[in-house]
Amino acid sequence: MAPERFFLELEPPACALADWPHVVIVGGGFAGLKACHALAGKPVRVTLIDKRNFNLFQPLLYQVASGLVSEADVASPLRQMVGQAPNIQVLLGEVVDIDPEAKEVVFNDHRYGYDHLILASGSGSTYFGREEWRPLAPPMKILEHADEIRRRLLMALEEAEQTLDPERRRFLQTVVVVGAGPAGCELAGSLIELMHRAIRRDFKQLNPDLCRVVLVDPVERVLPTMHPKLSAAAAGYLQQAGVEVRLHTKVEAIAPGLVSLQGADGLQQLEAATICWTAGVRASRLGALLADRTGCPVDRGGRLLVEPDFSVPGHPEIHAIGDLCAYLHTTDGKPLPGMAGPAVQMGSWVAAHILAGREGRSLAPFRFTDLGSMAVIGPWYAVADLRGLHITGLAGWVFWALAHLAFIPDTENRVTLFTKWMWQIATRQRTALLITGRPDQHLGVDVGLFRAERHAAPETPAEEQDSEPLAA
């Protein structure tokens, strides 16, 4: 079967589209979505492919995990965001192979051609070779992960409410968060606030003083990529809020309800009903696939080492952006961080680069504008490094809120999130403390991706086909 070059519809809706170059974008995250927005209405045909039909605002996943907001508040349907542009189509599916020589991608049992390929499939979690830990300590990369963390914590608290054994109650009220980066600190701070407030207001039998959140990491300080002053401020706030911060401590093993820690005091066993993992990041598996197909080198994290124009060596028509690439062509030679800011700027620049090439002109080299980094640690408290300006507390929270609201691509979600933040801060009540996804409550219906199967209609016997209807 010959590969299909472009398929906006059975036939292109406009004759001009047939002669426009076809740009395939894999991944609807920050980088891919920005590239789509930049190419919307331009003389190119764009196909956006993602295995999910929505854009996820990943920096706020911890708020889903801790019941601050719901899933729809941090996710927006891709078709509503870019699918209405006449030159853009959105397709649901997972790219399983790439043929750089034929300029084709393979997904949903089809092969489709491209003139330009933009890979923006993001990153996942790594357990540093200990994948058996994954079901015991869920990561926090997708909505289902956040839902599972929330479900496990709330189920543990519900059981503790009915438990007479004080030791088991203590175990059920203990949470371990592995990883002291921004995601780990934000999750730990939000969970301890949730446990203290929820237990004090909503649970009659539990003692808030027995709530325990332990933050574990072998690094020297929390938020190690930020300024030491901000790290110290964040650690101080977390400890004052009730979080146990254990640095210089490595996870040696994870078993059901048990974490083995190696630190200055030797090997220790820590019992916890809820264990969360925010420690490791790996590039999307498409990076390894493309490296195998093209010979492109990768760094230790599996990210593709790209050219100054984000292209793969030897294949100027293939670009890798976002968390999938290691961009070393910076003034200091350090790779760009895996954050929303760099991803958005990459997507915009690569789209402009493709359009400039079509028009026969050159584009100024990519230059990253560093807007800083920040992390929210608790209600009205955040730390922010704004290009050397260090801000903590309420002022940091204001900058954090404004920055996140600006990056959220959907206006409705901006309004909803701001409203819920204000409500939560004013009342300390969380609106999304729902326990969903329990296997025993699916009523025999498989939950997950469902693909409808069509059964052939029964054949009509020949004698019935030839017979005339009876007269009344």
Side-chain angles (χ1 to χ4, degrees):
M1 179 180 177
E4 298 182 39
R5 178 174 173 80
F6 186 67
F7 48 107
L8 268 172
E9 297 179 17
L10 294 179
E11 295 181 358
C15 295
L17 288 175
D19 298 324
W20 289 353
H22 184 204
V23 181
V24 172
I25 301 175
V26 182
F30 288 113
L33 189 64
K34 185 62 178 180
C36 278
H37 281 143
L39 295 174
K42 305 299 182 180
V44 291
R45 299 168 294 169
V46 181
T47 299
L48 173 62
I49 302 173
D50 201 307
K51 58 186 177 182
R52 298 178 180 273
N53 73 334
F54 56 84
N55 167 270
L56 173 64
F57 195 78
Q58 203 173 76
L60 294 181
L61 268 182
Y62 80 94
Q63 295 200 0
V64 178
S66 58
L68 276 170
V69 300
S70 62
E71 292 88 339
D73 298 328
V74 298
S76 304
L78 289 171
R79 292 187 180 276
Q80 295 181 13
M81 302 183 74
V82 295
Q84 298 179 12
N87 66 320
I88 296 179
Q89 68 171 347
V90 180
L91 297 176
L92 181 67
E94 182 175 5
V95 173
V96 297
D97 202 358
I98 301 172
D99 188 341
E101 301 304 322
K103 295 186 178 180
E104 296 171 0
V105 296
V106 180
F107 79 108
N108 290 353
D109 301 324
H110 293 280
R111 300 175 68 91
Y112 295 108
Y114 61 82
D115 296 300
H116 300 277
L117 176 62
I118 301 177
L119 294 178
S121 50
S123 61
S125 300
T126 179
Y127 287 75
F128 308 108
R130 302 298 299 270
E131 285 299 311
E132 68 273 16
W133 294 353
R134 187 178 293 271
L136 303 175
M140 199 171 57
K141 279 294 184 180
I142 60 177
L143 278 178
E144 288 79 0
H145 294 158
D147 288 341
E148 181 63 12
I149 292 172
R150 183 186 63 209
R151 186 188 68 81
R152 293 188 184 191
L153 175 62
L154 294 180
M155 285 295 294
L157 294 180
E158 291 290 349
E159 181 184 347
E161 177 80 346
Q162 306 173 44
T163 300
L164 298 179
D165 183 358
E167 288 303 316
R168 179 159 183 80
R169 184 177 293 177
R170 188 183 301 271
F171 160 75
L172 292 169
Q173 293 179 230
T174 301
V175 179
V176 172
V177 178
V178 182
C185 289
E186 290 174 337
L187 181 61
S190 190
L191 289 182
I192 193 65
E193 203 271 341
L194 160 66
M195 294 176 73
H196 281 167
R197 293 290 174 178
I199 286 177
R200 185 172 291 112
R201 297 180 58 166
D202 303 330
F203 290 82
K204 302 296 188 294
Q205 305 299 325
L206 300 185
N207 182 0
D209 295 335
L210 296 181
C211 291
R212 190 182 184 193
V213 175
V214 183
L215 183 64
V216 178
D217 202 304
V219 297
E220 296 182 354
R221 54 190 175 90
V222 303
L223 304 175
T225 60
M226 299 184 74
H227 192 275
K229 174 185 175 182
L230 300 178
S231 295
Y237 182 92
L238 288 171
Q239 291 171 332
Q240 184 178 10
V243 176
E244 297 180 31
V245 180
R246 295 195 181 187
L247 304 177
H248 305 282
T249 303
K250 181 182 178 182
V251 175
E252 291 290 344
I254 299 178
L258 185 67
V259 182
S260 298
L261 303 175
Q262 182 68 51
D265 298 328
L267 187 65
Q268 294 183 341
Q269 306 289 334
L270 181 59
E271 290 186 318
T274 307
I275 308 171
C276 312
W277 184 273
T278 67
V281 177
R282 60 159 178 81
S284 162
R285 292 182 175 86
L286 275 185
L289 174 65
L290 188 61
D292 179 67
R293 297 292 185 268
T294 64
C296 178
V298 298
D299 67 1
R300 293 180 59 184
R303 298 182 298 174
L304 296 163
L305 298 174
V306 296
E307 301 287 2
D309 63 352
F310 296 96
S311 66
V312 173
H315 293 273
E317 75 284 356
I318 302 178
H319 298 83
I321 57 178
D323 291 346
L324 192 61
C325 78
Y327 192 82
L328 303 178
H329 309 282
T330 54
T331 54
D332 57 4
K334 296 181 180 179
L336 296 179
M339 299 167 57
V344 168
Q345 294 179 40
M346 291 178 197
S348 179
W349 189 91
V350 168
H353 173 70
I354 291 175
L355 294 174
R358 171 173 167 76
E359 298 169 0
R361 57 183 177 85
S362 60
L363 192 67
F366 175 79
R367 290 291 181 268
F368 169 58
T369 301
D370 187 4
L371 301 177
S373 58
M374 54 193 70
V376 61
I377 311 300
W380 296 110
Y381 192 94
V383 295
D385 186 350
L386 306 179
R387 306 182 68 175
L389 177 63
H390 303 144
I391 305 175
T392 62
L394 174 59
W397 186 92
V398 171
F399 277 104
W400 171 88
L402 292 175
H404 281 67
L405 290 174
F407 272 108
I408 291 174
D410 185 74
T411 302
E412 179 183 353
N413 281 359
R414 289 195 193 103
V415 176
T416 301
L417 283 169
F418 181 78
T419 303
K420 288 189 175 182
W421 289 346
M422 295 299 101
W423 174 261
Q424 192 275 331
I425 290 173
T427 67
R428 296 299 177 93
Q429 292 182 0
R430 305 191 177 212
T431 59
L433 295 178
L434 307 179
I435 300 176
T436 59
R438 292 179 58 181
D440 61 329
Q441 296 182 350
H442 293 161
L443 302 178
V445 178
D446 290 335
V447 175
L449 291 179
F450 172 75
R451 186 172 185 176
E453 299 292 342
R454 184 181 182 187
H455 294 280
E459 295 184 2
T460 303
E463 59 270 25
E464 294 184 13
Q465 296 177 5
D466 297 333
S467 61
E468 295 293 333
L470 297 176

